[in-house]
Coordinates of all heavy atoms in Angstrom, one line a residue:
L1 N -2.4 12.2 11.3 CA -3.0 13.2 10.4 C -3.2 14.6 11.0 O -2.9 15.6 10.4 CB -4.4 12.7 9.9 CG -5.2 13.6 8.9 CD1 -4.4 13.9 7.7 CD2 -6.5 13.0 8.6
P2 N -3.7 14.7 12.3 CA -3.9 16.1 12.9 C -2.5 16.8 13.0 O -2.4 18.0 12.7 CB -4.5 15.8 14.2 CG -5.2 14.5 14.1 CD -4.3 13.7 13.1
Q3 N -1.5 16.1 13.4 CA -0.2 16.7 13.5 C 0.3 17.2 12.1 O 0.9 18.3 12.0 CB 0.8 15.7 14.1 CG 2.2 16.3 14.3 CD 3.2 15.3 14.9 OE1 2.8 14.1 15.2 NE2 4.4 15.7 15.1
W4 N 0.1 16.4 11.1 CA 0.6 16.7 9.8 C -0.2 18.0 9.3 O 0.4 18.9 8.7 CB 0.4 15.6 8.8 CG 1.0 15.9 7.5 CD1 2.3 15.8 7.1 CD2 0.3 16.4 6.3 NE1 2.4 16.2 5.8 CE2 1.2 16.6 5.3 CE3 -1.1 16.7 6.1 CZ2 0.8 17.0 4.0 CZ3 -1.5 17.1 4.8 CH2 -0.5 17.3 3.8
L5 N -1.5 18.0 9.5 CA -2.3 19.1 9.1 C -1.9 20.4 9.8 O -1.8 21.5 9.2 CB -3.8 18.9 9.3 CG -4.4 17.8 8.4 CD1 -5.9 17.5 8.9 CD2 -4.4 18.2 7.0
A6 N -1.5 20.2 11.1 CA -1.0 21.4 11.8 C 0.3 21.9 11.3 O 0.5 23.1 11.2 CB -0.8 21.0 13.3
S7 N 1.1 21.0 10.8 CA 2.4 21.5 10.2 C 2.1 22.2 8.9 O 2.8 23.2 8.6 CB 3.3 20.3 9.9 OG 2.8 19.4 8.9
V8 N 1.1 21.8 8.1 CA 0.7 22.5 6.9 C 0.2 23.9 7.2 O 0.5 24.9 6.6 CB -0.3 21.7 6.1 CG1 -0.8 22.5 4.9 CG2 0.3 20.4 5.7
V9 N -0.7 24.0 8.3 CA -1.2 25.3 8.7 C -0.1 26.2 9.1 O -0.1 27.4 8.8 CB -2.2 25.1 9.8 CG1 -2.7 26.4 10.3 CG2 -3.5 24.3 9.3
Q10 N 0.9 25.7 9.9 CA 2.0 26.5 10.4 C 2.8 26.9 9.2 O 3.3 28.1 9.1 CB 2.8 25.7 11.3 CG 3.9 26.5 12.0 CD 3.4 27.6 12.8 OE1 2.4 27.5 13.5 NE2 4.1 28.7 12.8
G11 N 3.0 26.1 8.2 CA 3.8 26.4 7.0 C 3.1 27.5 6.2 O 3.8 28.3 5.7
T12 N 1.8 27.4 6.2 CA 1.1 28.4 5.4 C 1.1 29.8 6.1 O 1.3 30.8 5.5 CB -0.4 28.0 5.3 OG1 -0.5 26.7 4.6 CG2 -1.2 29.0 4.5
A13 N 1.1 29.7 7.4 CA 1.2 31.0 8.2 C 2.5 31.6 8.1 O 2.7 32.9 8.0 CB 0.8 30.7 9.7
D14 N 3.6 30.8 8.1 CA 4.9 31.3 8.0 C 5.4 31.5 6.6 O 6.5 32.0 6.3 CB 5.9 30.4 8.7 CG 5.6 30.2 10.2 OD1 4.9 31.1 10.7 OD2 6.0 29.2 10.8
R15 N 4.6 31.1 5.6 CA 4.9 31.2 4.2 C 6.2 30.4 3.9 O 7.0 30.8 3.0 CB 5.1 32.6 3.7 CG 3.8 33.4 3.8 CD 3.9 34.8 3.2 NE 2.6 35.5 3.3 CZ 2.4 36.7 2.8 NH1 3.5 37.4 2.2 NH2 1.3 37.3 2.8
T16 N 6.4 29.3 4.6 CA 7.5 28.4 4.3 C 7.0 27.0 4.6 O 6.4 26.8 5.6 CB 8.7 28.7 5.1 OG1 9.7 27.7 4.9 CG2 8.4 28.8 6.6
W17 N 7.3 26.1 3.7 CA 6.8 24.7 3.8 C 8.0 23.7 3.9 O 7.8 22.6 3.6 CB 5.9 24.4 2.7 CG 4.6 25.1 2.7 CD1 3.4 24.8 3.3 CD2 4.3 26.4 2.0 NE1 2.5 25.7 3.1 CE2 3.0 26.7 2.3 CE3 5.1 27.2 1.2 CZ2 2.4 27.9 1.8 CZ3 4.5 28.4 0.7 CH2 3.2 28.7 1.0
A18 N 9.1 24.3 4.2 CA 10.3 23.4 4.2 C 10.2 22.3 5.3 O 10.8 21.2 5.1 CB 11.6 24.3 4.5
H19 N 9.6 22.6 6.4 CA 9.5 21.6 7.5 C 8.3 20.7 7.4 O 8.1 19.8 8.2 CB 9.4 22.4 8.8 CG 8.1 23.2 9.0 ND1 8.0 24.4 8.3 CD2 7.0 23.0 9.7 CE1 6.8 24.9 8.6 NE2 6.1 24.0 9.4
V20 N 7.5 20.8 6.3 CA 6.4 19.9 6.1 C 6.8 18.7 5.4 O 7.6 18.7 4.4 CB 5.3 20.6 5.2 CG1 4.1 19.7 5.0 CG2 4.8 21.9 5.9
N21 N 6.5 17.5 6.0 CA 6.8 16.2 5.4 C 5.8 15.8 4.4 O 4.7 15.3 4.6 CB 6.8 15.2 6.5 CG 7.4 13.9 6.1 OD1 7.5 13.6 4.9 ND2 7.8 13.0 7.0
W22 N 6.1 16.2 3.1 CA 5.2 16.0 2.0 C 5.0 14.5 1.7 O 3.9 14.1 1.2 CB 5.6 16.8 0.8 CG 5.5 18.3 1.0 CD1 6.5 19.1 1.1 CD2 4.3 19.0 1.2 NE1 6.1 20.4 1.3 CE2 4.7 20.4 1.4 CE3 2.9 18.7 1.2 CZ2 3.8 21.4 1.6 CZ3 2.0 19.7 1.4 CH2 2.4 21.1 1.6
R23 N 6.0 13.7 1.9 CA 5.9 12.3 1.6 C 5.0 11.7 2.6 O 4.2 10.8 2.2 CB 7.3 11.6 1.7 CG 7.3 10.2 1.3 CD 8.7 9.6 1.3 NE 8.7 8.2 0.8 CZ 8.8 7.9 -0.5 NH1 9.0 8.9 -1.4 NH2 8.8 6.6 -0.9
Q24 N 5.0 12.1 3.9 CA 4.0 11.6 4.8 C 2.6 12.0 4.4 O 1.7 11.2 4.6 CB 4.3 12.2 6.2 CG 3.4 11.7 7.3 CD 3.6 12.4 8.6 OE1 4.3 13.4 8.7 NE2 3.0 11.9 9.7
G25 N 2.4 13.2 3.9 CA 1.1 13.7 3.4 C 0.6 12.8 2.3 O -0.6 12.5 2.2
Q26 N 1.5 12.4 1.4 CA 1.1 11.5 0.3 C 0.6 10.2 0.8 O -0.4 9.7 0.4 CB 2.3 11.3 -0.7 CG 2.8 12.6 -1.3 CD 4.1 12.4 -2.0 OE1 4.7 11.3 -2.0 NE2 4.7 13.5 -2.4
N27 N 1.3 9.6 1.8 CA 0.9 8.3 2.3 C -0.4 8.5 3.1 O -1.2 7.6 3.1 CB 2.0 7.8 3.3 CG 3.3 7.4 2.5 OD1 3.2 7.1 1.4 ND2 4.4 7.5 3.2
L28 N -0.6 9.6 3.8 CA -1.8 9.9 4.5 C -3.0 10.0 3.5 O -4.1 9.5 3.8 CB -1.7 11.2 5.3 CG -0.9 11.1 6.6 CD1 -0.7 12.4 7.2 CD2 -1.7 10.2 7.6
A29 N -2.8 10.6 2.4 CA -3.9 10.8 1.4 C -4.3 9.4 0.9 O -5.5 9.1 0.8 CB -3.5 11.6 0.3
L30 N -3.3 8.5 0.7 CA -3.7 7.2 0.2 C -4.4 6.4 1.3 O -5.3 5.7 1.1 CB -2.4 6.5 -0.2 CG -2.5 5.2 -1.0 CD1 -3.2 5.5 -2.3 CD2 -1.1 4.6 -1.3
A31 N -3.9 6.5 2.6 CA -4.5 5.8 3.7 C -6.0 6.3 3.9 O -6.9 5.4 4.2 CB -3.7 6.0 5.0
V32 N -6.2 7.6 3.8 CA -7.6 8.1 4.0 C -8.5 7.5 2.9 O -9.7 7.2 3.2 CB -7.5 9.6 4.0 CG1 -9.0 10.2 3.9 CG2 -6.9 10.2 5.2
A33 N -8.0 7.5 1.7 CA -8.9 7.0 0.6 C -9.2 5.5 0.8 O -10.3 5.0 0.6 CB -8.1 7.2 -0.7
V34 N -8.2 4.7 1.3 CA -8.5 3.3 1.5 C -9.5 3.1 2.6 O -10.4 2.3 2.5 CB -7.1 2.6 1.9 CG1 -7.4 1.2 2.4 CG2 -6.2 2.6 0.7
V35 N -9.3 3.8 3.7 CA -10.3 3.7 4.8 C -11.7 4.1 4.4 O -12.7 3.5 4.8 CB -9.8 4.5 6.1 CG1 -10.8 4.5 7.2 CG2 -8.5 3.9 6.6
A36 N -11.7 5.2 3.7 CA -13.0 5.7 3.2 C -13.8 4.7 2.4 O -15.0 4.5 2.5 CB -12.9 7.0 2.4
L37 N -13.0 4.0 1.5 CA -13.6 2.9 0.7 C -14.2 1.8 1.5 O -15.3 1.3 1.3 CB -12.6 2.4 -0.3 CG -12.2 3.3 -1.5 CD1 -11.1 2.7 -2.3 CD2 -13.4 3.6 -2.4
M38 N -13.5 1.4 2.5 CA -13.9 0.3 3.4 C -15.1 0.7 4.2 O -16.1 0.0 4.4 CB -12.8 -0.2 4.3 CG -11.7 -1.0 3.5 SD -10.6 -1.9 4.6 CE -9.7 -0.5 5.4
V39 N -15.1 2.0 4.7 CA -16.3 2.5 5.5 C -17.5 2.6 4.6 O -18.6 2.2 5.0 CB -15.9 3.8 6.1 CG1 -17.1 4.5 6.8 CG2 -14.8 3.6 7.2
L40 N -17.4 3.1 3.4 CA -18.5 3.4 2.5 C -19.2 2.1 2.1 O -20.4 2.1 1.7 CB -18.1 4.2 1.3 CG -17.9 5.7 1.5 CD1 -17.3 6.3 0.3 CD2 -19.3 6.3 1.9
V41 N -18.5 1.0 2.1 CA -19.1 -0.3 1.7 C -20.3 -0.6 2.6 O -21.3 -1.2 2.2 CB -18.1 -1.5 1.8 CG1 -18.8 -2.8 1.5 CG2 -17.0 -1.2 0.7
V42 N -20.2 -0.2 3.9 CA -21.3 -0.6 4.8 C -22.6 0.1 4.4 O -23.6 -0.6 4.2 CB -20.9 -0.2 6.3 CG1 -22.0 -0.5 7.2 CG2 -19.7 -1.0 6.7
P43 N -22.7 1.4 4.3 CA -24.0 2.0 3.9 C -24.4 1.6 2.4 O -25.6 1.5 2.1 CB -23.8 3.5 4.0 CG -22.3 3.7 3.9 CD -21.7 2.5 4.6
L44 N -23.4 1.4 1.6 CA -23.7 1.0 0.2 C -24.4 -0.3 0.1 O -25.4 -0.5 -0.5 CB -22.3 1.0 -0.6 CG -22.5 0.6 -2.1 CD1 -23.3 1.6 -2.8 CD2 -21.1 0.5 -2.7
T45 N -23.8 -1.4 0.8 CA -24.5 -2.7 0.7 C -25.7 -2.8 1.6 O -26.7 -3.5 1.2 CB -23.4 -3.7 1.2 OG1 -23.0 -3.4 2.5 CG2 -22.3 -3.8 0.2
L46 N -25.8 -2.1 2.7 CA -27.0 -2.2 3.5 C -28.2 -1.5 2.8 O -29.3 -2.0 2.8 CB -26.7 -1.5 4.9 CG -25.9 -2.3 5.9 CD1 -25.7 -1.5 7.2 CD2 -26.4 -3.7 6.2
S47 N -27.9 -0.3 2.2 CA -29.0 0.3 1.5 C -29.4 -0.5 0.2 O -30.5 -0.5 -0.1 CB -28.6 1.8 1.1 OG -27.4 1.7 0.3
G48 N -28.4 -1.1 -0.3 CA -28.7 -2.0 -1.5 C -29.6 -3.2 -1.1 O -30.5 -3.5 -1.8

């Protein structure tokens, strides 16, 4: 994720996003959401 975000920042600075792997970004977004759901279960159930 940090490397991909760096490529997005570089693409924004150069005003070109041809070298950004957007498919990887899509998979990363899905992975972040999945991990966030599993992590949030802990405070959700403990507080419940």
Side-chain angles (χ1 to χ4, degrees):
L1 180 59
Q3 181 181 0
W4 184 83
L5 291 176
S7 68
V8 174
V9 172
Q10 185 64 37
T12 304
D14 298 340
R15 295 187 178 182
T16 174
W17 294 274
H19 63 285
V20 178
N21 189 340
W22 293 110
R23 188 177 185 88
Q24 180 188 13
Q26 297 165 8
N27 293 332
L28 280 171
L30 196 58
V32 168
V34 170
V35 172
L37 288 174
M38 290 193 292
V39 170
L40 281 172
V41 172
V42 177
L44 181 62
T45 54
L46 288 179
S47 61

